[in-house]
Amino acid sequence: MRARRGTVARCAEMLWLAAALLLLVVQGADAVKREDFKTCEQAAFCNRHREFAKNVTAGKAGAAYAVVEGSVRMEQHRLTATVQNEDAVPLALEVTFMASGVMRVRVQEEKPLVARFDDTQKYVLRDEGAALEYADEAALHYTTERTSGGLAHVVSYGGNTTFTMRMAERPWSVTMAVDGRTAVQLNTRGLFKFEHLRTRPEGDVPAGEWDEQFRTWTDTKPRGPEAFGLDIGFAGCEHVYGIPEHSSPLSLRTTRGGKGAYDQPYRLYNLDVFEYEIDNPMALYGSVPLMLAHSADATAGVLWLNAAETWVDVERADGGALGGLFGRREPAVDTHWISEAGVMDVFVLPGPDVARVYKQYAELVEPTPLPREFALGYHQCRWNYLDDADVRTVSAGLHEHGIPHDVMWLDIEHTDGKRYYTWDAAKFPDPAALQQSLARTGHQLVTVVDPHVKRDSGYAVWREADENGLFVGARGGDGSFQGWCWPGDSNWVDCFNPNATAWLSKLYGLDRYNGSTPHLFIWNDMNEPSVFNGPEITMDKDALHHGGWEHRHVHNLNGMLYHKATADGLRARETPNLRPFVLSRSYFAGSQRYGAVWTGDNTADWEHLRASVPMVLSNNVAGIHFVGADVGGFFGNPDPDLLTRWYQLGAWYPFFRAHAHIDTRRREPWLLGEPYVSLIRAAVRQRYRLLPHLYTLFRESSLTGMPLVRPLWVEFPHLPALFAEDRAFMVGSSILVVPVTDTAATQTVALPLPADELWYDMNTHESFAGPIQRSFELGLADTLAFARAGSIICTRERPRRSSALMRRDPFTLHVYLSRAADATGSLYVDDGESYAYEQGAFIERDLAFANGTLTSRASSRSVTAPEQAAFAQAMAAVRVERIVVVGAHDLTRASVSEGGSVRQVDVSCSGATCVVRDPAVLIGSDWDIALK
């Protein structure tokens, strides 16, 4: 890990690695070793700020920060001021206002001793922040008010919605109100504390400020203390969501006092935590510092743009005075954010409704782009498929048993001695031929590429990086940082060095990655980064990156930048560029731009099955939409009932992959026998039936930023009973899923049917009316998925081996009638792989049923362009083969009008479901079908 180790130290490291590898491989081990990971009390900066908050609440803190008199300036879209406390170190405060209503608040020293890391914005914001649209100066109205504490500065802006920022000078605080209602408050509890940069004093220094010990590791902290904290309150709210990744409920728990409270803050610090505990605020693999607050009246959010280790306390008040500097007479959630380093950079997303919040967030960081279409299919993975023959046998076995799949995966054992971008020649003598064989039936291959690089002078990848200075540096600049991971002694590519990421991307060229073809895609694992012999199983905080920044400043960005370099490489390997597919374990705000993520090394038990729902939902709430959990659980051996139920749930994850540890028993679905293989087949086939709907949802998300899978409160924002619901979820706005996550073979599931409207069982078409609680007796074959009345859902019903083989298949339209006998929906189709859709090469249809007639019209987003015409011609023969109208009675005929011609087709009805068979209308045409 350090340069110039002695022989004894190196032997000790080798023994440590052997023990670590044994622990990772041996099954039956206990859950995560909590002593390997810090608590707030063991993180000196967190402990300091939490103690400061305790003293403020008790009235024992010193003078609060205040705006220096006469320092406030309002110019264009920006208000600036100087903030100071008894330390007499002036801080520069900057508040900017954006056209969307978003308010940005930044604080750092006016004259820092050395620069603070401020490039998080470069890596996260759209176009590195250059694309932010600020409010027009003429639309901003600035006034001042005299208060008992001095001046208050008020800025109002907005159109139909009025946003009002009010900044008090003494003590300093900022409040954002929407249409006169307080939404978000900064420092109204007086917890703002900013540790200014300083020179090390002579003599003894306070513990933890200039060096810090954790177990056997010492963090040298050469810059001294540079942390900061701020309280952020959400008025009128009882629930907050987001800040993944944690294995905790959707509605974040209280962390200071109160029934059922955690004894630790939520931690944001990307870590390799295998067999993680359930219902715990411990840090996991990803960190997205986005929090949303919701009440029946409004939704608001906060993006805390900082990549250093961060802790977040959550407190609730039911009303009345909350303590601190101001009293309250309404419910509220108060949060306390603490970061170790960097610049304080906070975006307030004022909403006021959930759609506006996601639009505001998407304008900042970009929404999830359209993925490769095959990536929405089923992925078959384990650590590890043994060789070429094993991969072919498993793929053929899935086909033999009628289970579609799109991707086969290879873990680390496919390489030559854990040297990434290589193949074990004995196991995979012709990897290109394997990929081409899979591709003939529409299947792709994924290989793992981890960020650690085996130290081996005979390994070209390591040698190039070493010769060109592309590795992360050791503390003090003494050579490259060294640590241990799967290959043994390793170095890590410095993803903050632009030369390093450019080089890394080129490694994915078809001329560089030997044995690769356009059908090979990539999985980035261990990119937190995971360092087996490092503190908390990660990189030392005082390791050095490009520009002289310590790892502490950039840690949570590391995985995303490695993910980005990989995606850039896959995108550029062909001309014209094609969309990449890259799965990453580590992520940050902005990772949605580069590919999918998953919830990490879970366990094959019912608790982890249940926990996957709020984990996937929390990621979607925070803008990480393309996410799933390992189906079946990574560690351990699921019994057949558990594995079956996991497939039934996993088919609804945005990312659908089965995965298993190397020491688990093989669990390909057919090995379970009947009835399990049939039930798993049904779940996977349901996923493939719904691929058109899922792809259309990705289109919606790419335009609006709305989640793919949604907590019920997102669709039903005025129903408080649903605000903490995390057992059931919505898929888009049209499908309600209630997974079965308990062990009993036959069990009762309570279903919260929201809103005073109809819901249709998607299997039986039986209708149910809300708002009610209903209970269902379910056997293993039974699943609960309900279509929302008033929806039109598009499917493809012909079973195929892969999604690629469905490309020219006809569509079925499912029309679920509301009480008013109407419905709406949409269908989006493009080539599923290129960027031609950006030039208009797509078909997008608005579907509507009203007054007994189903219509299809081109979306307002459709364009007239050569690319669109060419794509329409390629899809000209694709038709609608069936229309299923649910909630209708006694229909006998349908009159089809298309292209100036009219024809009659038969309709058959059974109960309240009527089917129009082969209306033969084209998906790219305008048409009307009148039912009689």
Side-chain angles (χ1 to χ4, degrees), residues 204-426:
D204 294 337
V205 293
E209 288 193 355
W210 292 89
D211 58 60
E212 186 173 353
Q213 193 81 13
F214 177 67
R215 303 188 70 183
T216 61
W217 294 275
T218 299
D219 175 7
T220 59
K221 293 192 173 183
R223 292 162 57 104
E226 52 181 322
F228 53 88
L230 176 72
D231 59 276
I232 302 176
F234 300 95
C237 296
E238 298 180 20
H239 298 275
V240 288
Y241 313 91
I243 59 168
E245 183 179 36
H246 305 94
S247 179
S248 64
L250 172 69
S251 178
L252 300 178
R253 289 197 190 280
T254 299
T255 61
R256 299 199 81 158
K259 184 179 180 181
Y262 293 140
D263 62 1
Q264 291 289 309
Y266 284 90
R267 190 184 188 197
L268 296 172
Y269 192 63
N270 297 347
L271 292 171
D272 180 0
V273 185
F274 66 92
E275 289 189 287
Y276 48 82
E277 291 183 6
I278 302 302
D279 198 6
N280 196 300
M282 288 177 66
L284 293 178
Y285 310 93
S287 296
V288 183
L290 174 69
M291 178 180 285
L292 269 62
H294 179 72
S295 72
D297 300 315
T299 308
V302 164
L303 172 64
W304 180 270
L305 195 60
N306 190 280
E309 180 183 351
T310 298
W311 299 75
V312 185
D313 265 316
V314 178
E315 297 182 68
R316 285 176 169 80
D318 296 328
L322 187 65
L325 302 179
F326 296 93
R328 290 200 181 98
R329 296 183 179 178
E330 61 179 350
V333 178
D334 282 299
T335 61
H336 183 199
W337 300 66
I338 308 165
S339 288
E340 183 177 17
V343 171
M344 194 188 91
D345 196 354
V346 183
F347 290 83
V348 175
L349 287 58
D353 56 56
V354 66
R356 288 279 293 278
V357 167
Y358 282 119
K359 186 173 186 294
Q360 290 159 355
Y361 185 63
E363 288 177 359
L364 294 177
V365 302
E366 299 182 33
T368 302
L370 280 167
R372 287 291 280 261
E373 194 168 18
F374 77 76
L376 302 190
Y378 171 56
H379 300 247
Q380 183 70 43
C381 182
R382 74 173 281 111
W383 175 25
N384 202 85
Y385 286 118
L386 303 177
D387 52 25
D388 182 296
D390 197 15
V391 173
R392 293 173 189 263
T393 298
V394 172
S395 182
L398 289 165
H399 173 55
E400 178 185 347
H401 292 88
I403 301 172
H405 65 293
D406 268 72
V407 191
M408 295 295 300
W409 289 58
L410 292 174
D411 210 322
I412 54 177
E413 311 303 333
H414 82 278
T415 62
D416 176 12
K418 312 298 189 301
R419 299 171 181 85
Y420 302 108
Y421 312 98
T422 69
W423 305 81
D424 184 321

Side-chain angles (χ1 to χ4, degrees), residues 460-646:
V461 171
W462 180 85
R463 190 171 60 251
E464 286 181 32
D466 186 59
E467 290 172 354
N468 290 284
L470 304 182
F471 289 128
V472 176
R475 69 164 63 159
D478 186 13
S480 297
F481 172 83
Q482 290 179 230
W484 288 78
C485 209
W486 297 122
D489 199 4
S490 303
N491 298 118
W492 277 257
V493 176
D494 185 358
C495 292
F496 298 87
N497 181 343
N499 294 329
T501 51
W503 168 81
L504 187 63
S505 295
K506 290 178 181 177
L507 293 179
Y508 294 98
L510 298 176
D511 59 337
R512 290 296 309 271
Y513 190 165
N514 184 45
S516 70
T517 75
H519 301 286
L520 183 71
F521 298 89
I522 301 299
W523 167 20
N524 291 155
D525 200 356
M526 316 295 286
N527 53 334
E528 293 77 24
S530 177
V531 181
F532 289 163
N533 62 335
E536 301 193 271
I537 317 180
T538 193
M539 188 171 285
D540 293 28
K541 284 186 173 182
D542 50 8
L544 289 177
H545 290 271
H546 179 75
W549 298 111
E550 293 178 70
H551 187 68
R552 83 180 71 255
H553 300 116
V554 301
H555 175 86
N556 286 341
L557 285 167
N558 188 86
M560 181 177 79
L561 296 190
Y562 194 79
H563 193 188
K564 178 183 185 297
T566 304
D568 288 347
L570 293 188
R571 185 182 298 108
R573 69 182 176 180
E574 297 169 85
T575 304
N577 297 163
L578 297 180
R579 295 175 235 171
F581 170 73
V582 186
L583 179 73
S584 175
R585 189 170 72 177
S586 181
Y587 53 95
F588 191 67
S591 286
Q592 71 279 357
R593 301 189 292 250
Y594 310 120
V597 306
W598 89 106
T599 62
D601 295 344
N602 58 359
T603 303
D605 60 37
W606 292 89
E607 277 193 318
H608 276 82
L609 172 65
R610 284 189 290 273
S612 72
V613 176
M615 291 181 75
V616 169
L617 288 176
S618 292
N619 275 290
N620 267 262
V621 164
I624 304 296
H625 300 147
F626 200 5
V627 59
D630 282 344
V631 170
F634 179 65
F635 288 104
N637 296 299
D639 63 55
D641 282 13
L642 173 59
L643 187 56
T644 300
R645 286 300 189 195
W646 216 318

Side-chain angles (χ1 to χ4, degrees), residues 820-822 849-854 930-931:
D822 58 16
F849 187 96
N851 301 317
T853 299
L854 178 64
L931 299 175

Side-chain angles (χ1 to χ4, degrees), residues 682-757:
V684 179
R685 284 188 175 181
Q686 175 180 255
R687 169 71 169 218
Y688 277 77
R689 288 178 57 246
L690 286 163
L691 286 181
H693 184 65
L694 295 175
Y695 197 64
T696 299
L697 289 179
F698 266 96
R699 166 67 166 178
E700 176 194 350
S701 182
S702 74
L703 298 170
T704 67
M706 287 292 286
L708 292 164
V709 294
R710 304 169 183 176
L712 269 61
W713 67 262
V714 170
E715 286 299 315
F716 306 98
H718 305 301
L719 297 177
L722 300 179
F723 291 175
E725 175 60 57
D726 60 10
R727 297 162 300 166
F729 56 92
M730 298 291 295
V731 178
S733 62
S734 300
I735 299 175
L736 169 64
V737 176
V738 188
V740 180
T741 56
D742 288 317
T743 59
T746 302
Q747 54 193 286
T748 300
V749 175
L751 168 65
L753 285 172
D756 190 16
E757 57 185 82

